[in-house]
Amino acid sequence: QVQLVESGGGSVQVGGSLRLSCAASGSIFSINGMGWYRQAPGKQRELVATITSGGSTIYTTYADSVKGRFTISRDNAKKMVYLQMNSLKPEDTAVYYCNTIRATPSGYWGQGTQVTVSS
């Protein structure tokens, strides 16, 4: 059974930091290519960071809006995916989700974790 549980969200002030965690169970973690998504009120869900592996090499990508501030990582042994978020801005306020990079809107999603950045 596939399950994704996100945690680590909260309320911070501008410039603050948070570290999000995602615990994956079932076959989903074996899929190469995990990502963090976010959905702000009234907006579509967007992909903000991805992590894939090619042999022993790890590849990461970031949306322009978070590049240089967010860092995605994973621990395969623990089946965890992380998102370190620094220099947070009010526009980072959203519900954050982890999922595979091939996830579709109608597919399985966890409950997400709320991040609120206030000025």
Side-chain angles (χ1 to χ4, degrees):
Q1 183 176 356
V2 171
Q3 189 174 23
L4 295 164
V5 180
E6 300 91 347
S7 63
S11 296
V12 297
Q13 292 190 327
V14 170
S17 298
L18 286 171
R19 188 190 192 213
L20 306 184
S21 299
C22 171
S25 62
S27 61
I28 196 168
F29 198 79
S30 66
I31 299 173
N32 190 20
M34 295 293 292
W36 280 96
Y37 300 73
R38 68 185 181 187
Q39 187 167 21
K43 295 187 177 181
Q44 289 189 329
R45 191 172 295 167
E46 63 171 336
L47 180 62
V48 297
T50 71
I51 185 165
T52 58
S53 61
S56 60
T57 303
I58 302 297
Y59 300 96
T60 58
T61 67
Y62 299 93
D64 288 343
S65 59
V66 307
K67 200 171 293 183
R69 301 187 297 119
F70 289 12
T71 303
I72 187 172
S73 61
R74 65 190 292 171
D75 184 329
N76 290 338
K78 296 181 179 179
K79 294 187 177 181
M80 297 288 293
V81 184
Y82 305 99
L83 186 69
Q84 178 66 43
M85 305 187 298
N86 299 327
S87 302
L88 284 163
K89 304 176 180 180
E91 51 263 43
D92 295 320
T93 295
V95 179
Y96 285 72
Y97 304 86
C98 72
N99 213 322
T100 74
I101 59 176
R102 298 178 180 83
T104 60
S106 60
Y108 170 82
W109 292 86
Q111 84 287 350
T113 186
Q114 175 71 48
V115 172
T116 303
V117 185
S118 58
S119 56

